[in-house]
Amino acid sequence: MVALASLLALAVTLFPAGVQCLWPQPSSIASGATALKLSPGFYIQPDVSPPPADLLAAVAQTELYLRTDNMQRLVLGRGAYDISSVQSAKTLSSLVLSLESGATVESISTEAVKALGSRSEGYTLTVPANGSAATLKANSTLGLYRGLTTFSQMWYEYDGQIYTISAPYDIADSPAYPYRGFMLDTARNYFPVTDIYRTLDAMSWVKINTFHWHITDSQSWPLIVSQYPELAQYGAYSSADVYTPTDIQNIVSYAAARGIDVLLEIDTPGHTASIADAHPEYVACNQATPWSTFANEPPAGQLRFTDPAVRNFTASLLSSVAKTLPSSMFSTGGDELNINCYTYDNQTQAELNSTGLTLEESLSVFTQTTHGALIAEGKTPVVWEEMVLDHNVTLANDTIVMVWISSADAASVADKGFRLVQAPSDYFYLDCGGGGWVGDYPAGDSWCDPFKTWQRAYTYDPLANLTATQIPLVLGGEQLLWTEQSSPTNLDPIVWPRAAASAEVFWTATSPGGGALNVTEALPRLHDIRFRMVQRGVNAIVLQPLWCALRPDACDLNA
């Protein structure tokens, strides 16, 4: 008995009281230190009339997670020392969901794809310690979905008993930023639909609400476009490595039911060599060598945007895809345009001479034409930062700009008055530090070394160097995976749990005390969500030896 008491005391010392289970951290949370059991007959009651089908599906999924997570606490004994307090604890039998008075009942899927700034993701969640019903309230079904995500993270299991040791809970939560994203490139290497589904699941668990899908590039064109089937027919890696219109709709629907908007990107006019497989007449410097003279990476090839036929083709292509998608946003890329490609292209030079336009003026005509087609479909154009900082093109005032080259560029974009998404490579590129992938290169480093740790991402300040008038232009941010060295075999461990870091940066923004987010405080919670991801079938990489995960702070640098 003395030995057991000593071990219990040691466990308490190494695992101080507090909520170690929630990611992202709610914006406001009060919790206790009372054990509470989940009844074997626990149920979630949606007091919403009529309950949308995707809300009922979310309820069923949450109940399944509660029963099957089998998540043990990350402490010495993995929960064995909780048994005495849990045995005498009260039992929670139900969670009641309701919408605030006057709220309109819409599906999660409908709420998830509303324009940025018009979505309601906040909720309040109360879990009493006395066993009376827990309550979850929100102004929308999307808010209820976010609350269900939080509720599912509160519980642990030991010896068949599901419980928490931190009741009561009183949470009032809402995101600091409306855009919280993850970008996946499916053109360098192809990812089956099932991998995308699993990624969307993991995104939803940490309240990421935008799947930025970089679906095409110079290496391949996996997107089957009904109006232009030849693009994938000739540009995909194989007939199996494609996304059919049905695949796209299924992915969009799957995402929306999990509170995620799909922002599709068809990068233009650069990164389009794969179009030449079907339409060589539309592409300048196709397969030109040495590729490093004409492109940032092989193969070379960019749309010949000075050609009116190319402008019309691209506008029609983007419009035909955009009209099939519910999102209010659509990205046309616009990064890494190589000028040499056009300088040495005889047709481009002839067209410039014929029209009297400069290359930049012609680029502006192309951009206005393609963006005009998107705007006609009710879409807000999204571009990479070069379209604002490096080129003299006319963009609609509501265009959204992705900042990627450097975190220092955000102020320059904001200075031009554009709304922006923070996606800087010096903090958020998940592919950095993996070594160089081009051949005949003994140095073998990557252009954006070093590896971007979760700690690096977590310390990012989205508002650094911005003025008070520029701050409202920041919509949020995202972590990104360019897949030159990624495939389905290593997707999960490269992305997770690192991508959860920015999820908390843009949901929570500050520590519970109002100060900067702190990696020491965050690490035990990130361990927790990583272990829970593994329990749910996501192969998230370990953060530390298990010895450290079971002893918070024991492996800190100066411990």
Side-chain angles (χ1 to χ4, degrees):
M1 183 64 68
V2 175
L4 179 60
S6 298
L7 284 173
L8 177 59
L10 178 61
V12 170
T13 300
L14 291 174
F15 197 84
V19 179
Q20 304 283 357
C21 55
L22 303 183
W23 194 285
Q25 181 83 273
S27 52
S28 174
I29 178 171
S31 63
T34 300
L36 179 67
K37 295 182 291 190
L38 206 63
S39 168
F42 174 84
Y43 64 95
I44 300 174
Q45 176 184 329
D47 191 10
V48 176
S49 182
D54 55 9
L55 178 61
L56 295 177
V59 165
Q61 182 66 78
T62 303
E63 291 176 340
L64 180 64
Y65 286 151
L66 292 172
R67 293 194 302 269
T68 62
D69 273 359
N70 295 321
M71 175 71 181
Q72 294 185 331
R73 283 215 302 140
L74 293 176
V75 291
L76 293 176
R78 302 304 302 273
Y81 306 120
D82 299 331
I83 293 301
S84 58
S85 59
V86 170
Q87 285 176 338
S88 58
K90 299 292 185 180
T91 300
L92 179 67
S93 297
S94 65
L95 169 65
V96 179
L97 313 186
S98 62
L99 293 177
E100 298 288 355
S101 177
T104 301
V105 180
E106 294 183 285
S107 67
I108 298 169
S109 301
T110 298
E111 299 279 0
V113 300
K114 289 183 176 180
L116 292 176
S118 64
R119 303 171 194 167
S120 178
E121 298 184 84
Y123 64 92
T124 58
L125 175 60
T126 301
V127 182
N130 63 5
S132 58
T135 58
L136 171 59
K137 292 185 177 181
N139 283 315
S140 72
T141 55
L142 180 58
L144 293 177
Y145 184 80
R146 301 297 181 219
L148 286 171
T149 301
T150 299
F151 184 81
S152 74
Q153 294 177 359
M154 291 178 171
W155 306 91
Y156 297 101
E157 184 274 340
Y158 188 84
D159 198 25
Q161 180 63 63
I162 301 170
Y163 69 97
T164 178
I165 60 165
S166 301
Y169 286 97
D170 191 2
I171 294 173
D173 197 15
S174 61
Y177 295 90
Y179 185 109
R180 305 175 308 282
F182 167 68
M183 191 219 76
L184 180 64
D185 158 28
T186 61
R188 270 63 178 221
N189 282 301
Y190 176 81
F191 293 80
V193 171
T194 52
D195 289 301
I196 295 176
Y197 284 164
R198 189 177 65 258
T199 300
L200 291 168
D201 284 336
M203 291 167 60
S204 74
W205 302 334
V206 293
K207 300 183 176 68
I208 292 175
N209 70 351
T210 307
F211 176 44
H212 176 186
W213 190 356
H214 185 92
I215 196 168
T216 63
D217 212 288
S218 282
Q219 289 81 4
S220 78
W221 187 281
L223 173 63
I224 294 180
V225 182
S226 297
Q227 191 171 337
Y228 300 99
E230 71 276 11
L231 294 175
Q233 180 182 353
Y234 295 103
Y237 283 131
S238 77
S239 60
D241 296 331
V242 295
Y243 302 106
T244 68
T246 299
D247 291 334
I248 299 297
Q249 292 307 313
N250 287 343
I251 288 169
V252 167
S253 297
Y254 193 92
R258 286 152 183 78
I260 298 169
D261 190 15
V262 177
L263 165 61
L264 202 72
E265 178 186 351
I266 296 179
D267 205 349
T268 62
H271 292 275
T272 46
S274 58
I275 291 177
D277 296 327
H279 291 286
E281 70 277 14
Y282 292 162
V283 176
C285 65
N286 180 35
Q287 307 289 326
T289 58
W291 62 262
S292 57
T293 299
F294 301 99
N296 277 47
E297 62 181 50
Q302 301 178 157
L303 283 174
R304 191 177 276 123
F305 60 78
T306 56
D307 184 347
V310 174
R311 290 198 294 268
N312 293 336
F313 159 77
T314 307
S316 175
L317 169 66
L318 297 178
S319 176
S320 66
V321 175
K323 69 175 57 176
T324 69
L325 304 170
S327 178
S328 64
M329 302 177 289
F330 193 98
S331 176
T332 62
D335 62 318
E336 297 183 330
L337 199 58
N338 186 290
I339 302 305
N340 283 337
C341 178
Y342 301 116
T343 300
Y344 295 102
D345 181 59
N346 292 334
Q347 183 176 335
T348 295
Q349 293 304 312
E351 284 161 348
L352 291 176
N353 290 333
S354 173
T355 61
L357 298 175
T358 66
L359 189 67
E360 286 294 311
E361 289 169 340
S362 186
L363 177 61
S364 187
V365 173
F366 172 85
T367 303
Q368 290 178 71
T369 301
T370 55
H371 282 198
L374 292 174
I375 292 169
E377 298 295 341
K379 309 302 182 183
T380 298
V382 180
V383 298
W384 296 109
E385 65 175 79
E386 291 99 315
M387 296 300 285
V388 169
L389 300 183
D390 294 349
H391 299 293
N392 185 23
V393 300
T394 300
L395 299 171
N397 292 335
D398 65 346
T399 300
I400 297 170
V401 180
M402 296 267 185
V403 176
W404 73 273
I405 295 175
S406 170
S407 54
D409 294 342
S412 298
V413 171
D415 193 50
K416 292 181 179 292
F418 289 101
R419 295 179 298 166
L420 61 94
V421 170
Q422 301 278 24
S425 57
D426 50 333
Y427 283 87
F428 289 159
Y429 270 30
L430 297 170
D431 54 300
C432 295
W437 57 270
V438 295
D440 193 26
Y441 183 49
D445 56 352
S446 63
W447 73 272
C448 55
D449 280 347
F451 181 86
K452 303 301 182 282
T453 65
W454 77 266
Q455 295 98 322
R456 171 73 172 171
Y458 194 73
T459 57
Y460 180 66
D461 179 1
L463 306 180
N465 303 314
L466 298 179
T467 66
T469 56
Q470 292 173 336
I471 285 173
L473 296 174
V474 179
L475 297 174
E478 66 182 25
Q479 283 175 272
L480 311 89
L481 180 60
W482 302 103
T483 61
E484 289 89 347
Q485 293 176 293
S486 297
S487 73
T489 61
N490 65 351
L491 173 63
D492 289 3
I494 284 185
V495 175
W496 304 111
R498 280 195 294 158
S502 64
E504 182 153 295
V505 168
F506 294 107
W507 178 279
T508 310
T510 60
S511 67
L517 295 175
N518 181 281
V519 296
T520 302
E521 182 279 330
L523 179 55
R525 291 186 296 105
L526 191 59
H527 273 305
D528 206 273
I529 192 63
R530 178 262 161 190
F531 272 77
R532 199 173 293 274
M533 285 181 171
V534 171
Q535 294 299 101
R536 295 179 182 180
V538 172
N539 189 27
I541 199 169
V542 297
L543 296 170
Q544 290 180 313
L546 181 58
W547 190 94
C548 303
L550 300 180
R551 298 164 175 81
D553 305 329
C555 294
D556 287 358
L557 181 61
N558 296 309

